[in-house]
Amino acid sequence: MAEVVVIGAGLSGTLMAYELLPQLKKDDRLTVISQGTVYHFVPSNPWVAVGWRKRSDIEIDLADIMKRKGVCLLTQGARRVHPDANRIELGDGSSINYDYLVVATGPELAFDEIPGLGPQGYTQSICHVDHASYAKEAFEKLAAKPGPVVIGAVQGASCFGPAYEFLFILETELRRRKLRDQVPMTFVTSEPYIGHLGLDGVGDTKGLLESEMREKHIKWITNARVDRIEPGKMTVEEFAENGTVHKAHELPFSYSMMLPAFRGVEAVRGIEKLTNPRGFVIVDKHQRNPAFPNVFAVGVCVAIAPVGATPVPVGVPKTGFMIESMVTATALNIGALLRGQAPNAQPTWNAICLADFGDSGVAFLAQPQIPPRNVNWSSKGEWVHYAKVAFEKYFLRKMRRGESEPFYERFVLNQLNIAKIKEVRTDKEVRTGT
Ligand SMILES: Cc1cc2nc3c(=O)[nH]c(=O)nc-3n(C[C@H](O)[C@H](O)[C@H](O)COP(=O)(O)OP(=O)(O)OC[C@H]3O[C@@H](n4cnc5c(N)ncnc54)[C@H](O)[C@@H]3O)c2cc1C
């Protein structure tokens, strides 16, 4: 009998549990350690922050679903992983042992790295549904007393898509309320150019996003390092290509939402050979930690090197489909180990993204997500907004049903030639050309 444990019940951890179940033998046990029983669909947070969704619309209670599927759900959280002892210390002081562990803890939000950043300071966040709910209250105050808005992502951030989404969603809502004329808007980003997205762009994201910002009278500052935030004022240094400060800005604001940098969560941060200096879990091509081979990691908690040097640090985003490919590979690899075989599934890390702008949007397809790529495509249109709404409904439905990839989703992805697992040829196949 094997004990398989997943830490985290967000996007990656919940799907991980659903995909691991068919891999288990009759007596194996699957445990998910979460912080509470409620899953919320993070990509809808920007809509919560302008009132287009209530938090209850995007939340699912996992207790019954996990029970129905025979998964043991422990809700006290993991305090510390002890990989040398195959043991996890839980939030209430008790412990649980594992044979195989999947870390799926997402990010810790590093607001403390910049004075005044975050909901405890003077800027809003959309990273968590709680933050999005506070951001909605702050938005109503802005609507009552309009003034300048600053939106963006700080140095070391890796999640740029939601910053652009929120910028354009807020702009759409301000236009609908006929307040846009009273709200000057500035986008502040550590990216070296608009549309870089931590990925050196995808297709023409630079052109598409710049033109959208020009059309909507939104100013921007790239290569930006936020020095500090005080009530109603953000101090920003703009860097030149050669890494020197090119210009200093003092930006007044009535409302600001800035994406923070991420780091690994406390339960794994600082464990030698398991995590990197930022606390992200080190994995090989099978999503497996090289030093502790019974530990895997999926989602935002995984360590990925930046795509290249930039004047201001910029991280690589871990997007939904890319995460799903990590999950599928990990489930297959743990399944192989349980059957006494070597793990050989490799995730593609392909990315399909829909960035909603409220009344239009940008879609991109990056295969693989890290350049150079076999497919590098982006497009703009009203259809993206409707596709994102449809995807939200579809995704929440499959989470409620306890499914990861229904057959019709697999069929569509096959038709579009978008794979989650790399085709790996054995030495014999390479030798014989089969
Ligand atoms: C605002 C926003 C919008 C996004 N929109 C998109 C999008 O449209 N498309 C896209 O492809 N990607 C999007 N992403 C990126 C990505 O898909 C999401 O961040 C996704 O939620 C990441 O999944 P995850 O499982 O790694 O982390 P999370 O979903 O954050 O889940 C991590 C879970 O682990 C739990 N946890 C943490 N520490 C512990 C512990 N010690 N013990 C137990 N549990 C713990 C947390 O409570 C949380 O539930 C978005 C990201 C953000 C922030």
Side-chain angles (χ1 to χ4, degrees):
M1 177 197 155
E3 291 281 357
V4 183
V5 177
V6 178
I7 310 181
L11 185 126
S12 62
T14 308
L15 292 176
M16 193 69 246
Y18 296 167
E19 291 208 18
L20 273 169
L21 280 173
Q23 300 293 332
L24 303 184
K25 298 188 294 331
K26 196 166 155 278
D27 293 329
D28 298 336
R29 188 161 57 191
L30 178 60
T31 302
V32 173
I33 304 171
S34 66
Q35 292 168 319
T37 60
V38 179
Y39 166 79
H40 78 269
F41 185 58
V42 173
S44 295
N45 287 350
W47 291 336
V48 173
V50 292
W52 294 357
R53 292 286 182 284
K54 296 192 294 295
R55 66 180 293 158
S56 56
D57 297 334
I58 63 158
E59 287 183 336
I60 298 174
D61 195 318
L62 293 172
D64 283 346
I65 302 168
M66 292 294 182
K67 194 170 168 199
R68 195 176 73 226
K69 295 186 78 75
V71 178
C72 171
L73 183 67
L74 301 178
T75 55
Q76 60 271 57
R79 186 179 293 162
R80 193 71 174 163
V81 175
H82 298 277
D84 286 321
N86 297 329
R87 184 171 68 83
I88 303 154
E89 189 186 333
L90 300 178
D92 60 3
S94 62
S95 279
I96 171 171
N97 294 317
Y98 60 82
D99 296 299
Y100 296 101
L101 170 65
V102 185
V103 182
T105 45
E108 185 175 281
L109 310 171
F111 293 120
D112 56 324
E113 291 176 350
I114 300 175
L117 182 70
Q120 306 291 329
Y122 309 108
T123 60
Q124 304 301 320
S125 158
I126 48 166
C127 290
H128 193 278
V129 70
D130 292 344
H131 300 165
S133 303
Y134 305 138
K136 165 74 168 60
E137 287 171 28
F139 176 66
E140 290 306 333
K141 288 186 188 148
L142 172 76
K145 196 172 171 219
V149 161
V150 178
I151 289 174
V154 306
Q155 55 271 26
S158 49
C159 196
F160 296 96
Y164 287 100
E165 277 197 305
F166 188 61
L167 175 79
F168 292 118
I169 286 170
L170 192 97
E171 200 273 344
T172 304
E173 181 61 18
L174 286 168
R175 259 186 297 119
R176 285 183 186 162
R177 296 191 190 198
K178 305 223 180 321
L179 294 171
R180 179 66 179 90
D181 58 329
Q182 299 169 58
V183 181
M185 294 180 80
T186 308
F187 189 72
V188 173
T189 179
S190 49
E191 295 160 282
Y193 56 85
I194 290 298
H196 178 283
L197 302 170
L199 294 169
D200 205 4
V202 183
D204 187 28
T205 45
K206 180 176 193 289
L208 293 175
L209 289 165
E210 277 189 359
S211 98
E212 192 75 11
M213 283 161 87
R214 268 190 293 269
E215 271 173 33
K216 295 191 162 154
H217 292 281
I218 298 168
K219 294 197 169 68
W220 67 77
I221 301 171
T222 52
N223 284 320
R225 187 184 166 281
V226 177
D227 184 49
R228 64 184 183 280
I229 298 144
E230 293 156 286
K233 190 173 83 179
M234 190 179 298
T235 306
V236 174
E237 288 176 328
E238 185 181 346
F239 281 69
E241 272 292 297
N242 64 7
T244 57
V245 177
H246 160 65
K247 207 169 170 187
H249 300 264
E250 284 204 343
L251 304 171
F253 66 84
S254 299
Y255 177 101
S256 173
M257 195 297 295
M258 297 294 290
L259 263 287
F262 293 166
R263 61 182 171 228
V265 303
E266 252 185 72
V268 290
R269 206 167 58 230
I271 300 177
E272 210 182 328
K273 295 189 178 157
L274 181 70
T275 51
N276 74 5
R278 286 287 297 173
F280 292 109
V281 183
I282 301 162
V283 296
D284 63 13
K285 62 185 180 189
H286 302 299
Q287 297 297 135
R288 192 185 198 193
N289 179 262
F292 302 102
N294 60 341
V295 180
F296 291 73
V298 292
V300 176
C301 66
V302 167
I304 301 181
V307 292
T310 46
V312 179
V314 162
V316 174
K318 288 111 187 193
T319 53
F321 190 81
M322 178 200 207
I323 293 174
E324 290 190 38
S325 84
M326 296 181 187
V327 166
T328 301
T330 301
L332 293 172
N333 287 334
I334 292 180
L337 287 163
L338 291 172
R339 291 186 296 275
Q341 298 159 359
N344 69 354
Q346 293 180 31
T348 54
W349 287 11
N350 286 338
I352 316 173
C353 276
L354 301 169
D356 174 47
F357 294 170
D359 50 8
S360 73
V362 163
F364 69 74
L365 183 56
Q367 297 194 19
Q369 184 175 281
I370 313 288
R373 308 186 177 107
N374 298 315
V375 179
N376 189 37
W377 170 88
S378 59
S379 180
K380 190 168 101 176
E382 205 180 331
W383 67 271
V384 180
H385 171 70
Y386 296 107
K388 183 119 193 185
V389 173
F391 181 73
E392 177 204 47
K393 308 275 175 253
Y394 170 73
F395 194 87
L396 285 169
R397 180 169 174 271
K398 74 175 186 174
M399 286 302 243
R400 283 192 190 99
R401 291 166 65 105
E403 290 174 332
S404 176
E405 191 186 64
F407 71 91
Y408 36 88
E409 181 177 323
R410 202 158 34 243
F411 174 78
V412 172
L413 290 172
N414 279 342
Q415 293 299 306
L416 295 172
N417 206 9
I418 303 172
K420 287 185 183 162
I421 299 297
K422 276 189 190 169
E423 271 180 48
V424 183
R425 295 168 79 206
T426 61
D427 288 348
K428 190 176 163 207
E429 281 167 342
V430 173
R431 269 198 318 275
T432 57
T434 51

